[in-house]
């Protein structure tokens, strides 16, 4: 599920006083970059008749190498197992149904790489676009720290992420919608900022329990 801006802001509140400044700065950077991703996607891809885009979900997520099975067995798994669209589910080889249980209200997605292809501590986990559900033809996007991919969330942009075979890779994902009523993270970025600015104490009530959960996940 990853780490949301609101969770990150609550985590920052729990840091010792002598570490609070860098923790706040890190979360402010998280918020700032997510906003830039949202704006860049709007400018580059949003259609004229699309309503105002808002964040449906924002998270920082990491993938670690799978440990089950021998390395050669993991690498042999077909990539088409991991091909999907962000707002519809596969019914057959030609149909993608835009309804539950998928997030059918999403319109655009963006992912920012936080690692590079030449990272000596990580291997695998490459992002790719696929021409069809079978992965007959794929176009890989080499990860580079600071490089972003953005695309329409529908079946025109089937995509996937290859298996992580060594180490850990991280990215910042922003899923967008023009249906503000359904957007789970419509106010996520501003709420996180309010917590960091100590102007919304009611939003920080869950800080202790969520912060402890976050610590256990990333330790």
């Amino acid at each position: 599920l990853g780490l949301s801006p609101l969770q990150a802001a609550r985590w920052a509140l729990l840091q010792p006083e002598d570490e609070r400044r860098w923790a706040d700065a890190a979360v402010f950077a998280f918020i700032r970059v997510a906003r830039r991703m949202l704006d860049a996607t709007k400018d580059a891809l949003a259609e004229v008749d699309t309503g105002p885009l808002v964040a449906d979900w924002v998270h920082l997520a990491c993938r670690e190498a799978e440990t089950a099975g021998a390395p050669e067995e993991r690498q042999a798994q077909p990539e088409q197992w991991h091909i999907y669209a962000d707002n519809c589910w596969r019914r057959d080889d030609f149909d993608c149904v835009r309804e539950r249980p998928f997030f059918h209200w999403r319109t655009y997605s963006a992912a920012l790489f936080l690692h590079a292809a030449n990272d000596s501590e990580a291997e695998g986990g490459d992002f790719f676009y696929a021409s069809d559900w079978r992965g007959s033809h794929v176009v890989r996007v080499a990860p580079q720290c600071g490089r972003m991919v953005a695309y329409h969330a529908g079946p025109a942009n089937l995509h996937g992420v290859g298996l992580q075979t060594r180490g850990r890779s991280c990215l910042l994902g922003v899923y967008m919608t023009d249906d503000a009523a359904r957007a789970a993270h419509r106010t996520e970025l501003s709420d996180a900022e309010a917590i960091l600015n100590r102007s919304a104490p009611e939003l920080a009530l869950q800080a202790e329990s969520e912060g402890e959960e976050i610590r256990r996940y990333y330790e």
Side-chain angles (χ1 to χ4, degrees), residues 1-218:
L1 293 177
L3 179 70
S4 74
L6 205 52
Q7 289 174 320
R10 289 169 175 157
W11 164 82
L13 287 185
L14 297 178
Q15 302 314 298
E17 198 62 38
D18 60 341
E19 298 180 3
R20 184 74 57 76
R21 180 174 295 180
W22 75 259
D24 283 0
V27 181
F28 272 125
F30 182 178
I31 296 167
R32 184 171 62 253
V33 170
R35 280 209 174 101
R36 290 184 65 181
M37 292 172 66
L38 186 61
D39 291 341
T41 304
K42 290 178 185 178
D43 293 343
L45 299 179
E47 301 170 2
V48 175
D49 58 350
T50 299
L53 289 179
V54 296
D56 178 52
W57 196 259
V58 181
H59 72 163
L60 173 64
C62 295
R63 293 163 52 91
E64 294 188 347
E66 300 181 23
T67 57
E72 59 273 13
E73 292 176 351
R74 297 197 301 271
Q75 293 176 5
Q77 293 181 15
E79 281 189 325
Q80 58 262 38
W81 287 3
H82 308 277
I83 294 173
Y84 55 91
D86 285 345
N87 67 5
C88 59
W89 53 271
R90 176 183 180 180
R91 180 155 56 191
D92 52 42
D93 282 349
F94 306 101
D95 197 11
C96 195
V97 182
R98 195 171 178 179
E99 62 182 32
R100 293 182 178 184
F102 268 46
F103 303 99
H104 55 86
W105 53 89
R106 291 179 178 172
T107 49
Y108 297 95
S109 305
L112 180 75
F113 300 113
L114 300 178
H115 66 290
N118 60 356
D119 190 333
S120 61
E121 298 182 358
E123 187 176 90
D126 293 345
F127 180 96
F128 61 87
Y129 291 104
S131 60
D132 53 39
W133 295 109
R134 299 182 181 183
S136 302
H137 178 67
V138 301
V139 176
R140 300 183 184 280
V141 180
Q144 183 67 42
C145 188
R147 175 176 289 169
M148 184 181 89
V149 291
Y151 48 90
H152 191 281
N157 287 295
L158 298 178
H159 59 282
V161 179
L163 290 173
Q164 188 76 29
T165 55
R166 180 165 57 87
R168 170 189 286 192
S169 61
C170 298
L171 60 78
L172 176 55
V174 180
Y175 301 93
M176 305 161 216
T177 180
D178 56 4
D179 187 349
R182 292 182 181 271
H185 281 182
R186 182 176 64 256
T187 63
E188 180 83 9
L189 299 178
S190 57
D191 287 349
E193 277 184 327
I195 287 179
L196 295 177
N197 291 325
R198 301 350 183 227
S199 60
E202 70 280 0
L203 293 174
L205 291 177
Q206 301 177 45
E208 185 172 351
S209 61
E210 288 196 359
E212 187 61 34
E213 181 180 345
I214 293 166
R215 275 198 294 268
R216 287 198 301 270
Y217 182 80
Y218 285 99

